[in-house]
């Protein structure tokens, strides 16, 4: 098969489409013929050498795919519940930038109603990330308020939609009027341009001085103090990235005064069992919203697999809204 190989660590130009061996599915895995894969910020970090795949995972980038089941592992019998020929999407620990990929059976999701096979590739990573962090760990609940940093990203555009579906007041930050307009059109209640506005002041203004219940943060160090200052009593901060660095000097007193909780987690390094649990929760809680037409994947642009470098350039320019796909 053909796959995108990181020929050495560096810029987008190190990504090359090469002929490689087909993956062999393990006993509890399925082999998928890839229809599409979606980019994630983690792919660019892996390309630079700072985010190696977990032990035993594919060396090729790509954390989610959609496609058709080609083969079942030796421990899987047809119809339990999957069959050869089923259209699915899947969460991966790597290997999506390829024509075929082997996936643990617990990380498969059925093609959601009303979503094309291609566009379904944009769902697994964002859905599993947002559901596992904000809902399973931070317990964001109907009637609460929620601040999403990077509201126009793949994670952000998904988080806005699922939160509005569940009756949550949504605040977002983004860096351009075009991005803020996209967030508003997806249902965001309060849209803040972080380049021209102080998001702490705006959050306080919009909440009568209280702050929001939950924050989903991809910036890390550079936003840490301001995030603590933006939370209400019993507020929860969840960190999923360090685009603003991983260190900060911080006044911790708001944590004690407001009983704040700070958590951080990734998805890729979790156990197969833990990922299967998250995937099951996503199917139960998110797939109905898609079926009702209240949530859809937001796809900005697609590239052929051979143009993975160009796709990475687009992602690193941060000029996109939603997800970027690669098509084998």
């Amino acid at each position: 098969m053909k796959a995108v190989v990181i020929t050495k660590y560096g810029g987008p130009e190190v990504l090359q489409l090469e002929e490689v061996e087909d993956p062999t599915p393990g006993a509890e895995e399925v082999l998928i013929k890839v229809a599409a894969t979606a980019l994630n910020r983690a792919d660019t970090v892996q390309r630079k050498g700072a985010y190696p795949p977990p032990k035993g995972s594919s060396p090729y980038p790509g954390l989610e795919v959609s496609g058709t089941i080609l083969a079942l592992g030796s421990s899987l019998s047809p119809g339990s519940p999957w069959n050869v020929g089923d259209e699915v999407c899947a969460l991966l620990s790597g290997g999506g930038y390829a024509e075929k990929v082997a996936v643990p059976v617990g990380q498969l999701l059925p093609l959601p109603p009303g979503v094309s096979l291609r566009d379904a590739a944009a769902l697994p990573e964002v859905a599993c990330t947002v559901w596992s962090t904000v809902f399973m760990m931070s317990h964001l609940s109907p009637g609460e308020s929620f601040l999403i940093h990077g509201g126009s990203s793949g994670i952000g555009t998904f988080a806005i939609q699922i939160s509005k579906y569940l009756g949550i007041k949504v605040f977002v930050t983004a860096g351009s009027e075009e991005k803020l307009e996209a967030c508003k059109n997806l249902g965001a209640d309060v849209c803040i341009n972080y380049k021209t506005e102080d998001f702490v002041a705006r959050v306080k203004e919009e909440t009568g001085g209280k702050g929001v219940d939950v924050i989903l943060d991809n910036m890390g160090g550079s936003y840490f103090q301001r995030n603590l200052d933006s939370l209400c009593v019993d507020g929860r901060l969840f960190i999923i990235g360090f685009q603003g660095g991983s260190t900060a000097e911080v006044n911790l007193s708001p944590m004690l005064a407001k009983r704040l909780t700070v958590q951080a987690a990734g998805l890729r390094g979790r156990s197969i069992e833990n990922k299967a649990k998250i995937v099951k929760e996503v199917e139960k809680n998110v797939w109905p919203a898609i079926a009702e037409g209240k949530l859809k994947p937001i796809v900005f642009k697609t590239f052929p697999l051979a143009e993975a470098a160009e796709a990475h350039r687009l992602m690193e320019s941060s000029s996109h809204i939603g997800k970027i796909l690669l098509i084998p």
Side-chain angles (χ1 to χ4, degrees), residues 288-312:
I290 301 172
E292 289 175 37
K294 304 289 187 184
L295 195 159
K296 60 186 180 187
I298 306 299
V299 175
F300 183 73
K301 193 170 181 179
T302 63
F303 291 85
L305 198 55
E307 293 176 21
E310 203 50 48
H312 272 227

Side-chain angles (χ1 to χ4, degrees), residues 41 152-153 175-176 178-179 182 194-195 300-301 303 310-324:
R41 192 70 64 168
S152 62
S153 67
S176 74
E178 181 192 10
K179 289 180 176 181
Y194 68 82
K195 291 180 178 174
F300 183 73
K301 193 170 181 179
F303 291 85
E310 203 50 48
H312 272 227
R313 286 185 191 101
L314 173 60
M315 171 160 267
E316 290 181 310
S317 76
S318 293
S319 57
H320 61 293
I321 293 167
K323 297 286 281 188
I324 301 163

Side-chain angles (χ1 to χ4, degrees), residues 225-247:
Q225 185 72 61
R226 284 180 283 171
N227 283 331
L228 297 183
D229 296 341
S230 299
L231 286 166
C232 66
V233 172
D234 292 319
R236 291 89 77 197
L237 167 62
F238 211 107
I239 300 170
I240 57 167
F242 298 111
Q243 289 182 46
S246 56
T247 59

Side-chain angles (χ1 to χ4, degrees), residues 126-137:
V126 293
C128 291
T129 296
V130 172
W131 195 263
S132 64
T133 56
V134 174
F135 294 98
M136 291 172 75
M137 293 177 73

Side-chain angles (χ1 to χ4, degrees), residues 37-109:
T37 185
L39 269 68
N40 289 280
R41 192 70 64 168
D43 305 344
T44 67
V45 184
Q46 179 177 339
R47 191 200 73 222
K48 294 171 186 171
Y51 193 37
K55 193 177 177 184
S57 299
S58 168
Y60 315 122
L63 299 175
E64 57 193 334
V65 293
S66 58
T68 308
I69 296 179
L70 284 175
L72 303 175
S74 58
S75 295
L76 305 175
S77 48
S80 60
W82 307 103
N83 291 296
V84 170
D86 284 350
E87 293 185 328
V88 294
C89 53
L91 180 71
L92 312 175
S93 54
Y97 289 24
E99 293 177 327
K100 298 172 189 172
V101 67
V103 190
V105 68
Q107 290 163 222
L108 295 178
L109 284 152

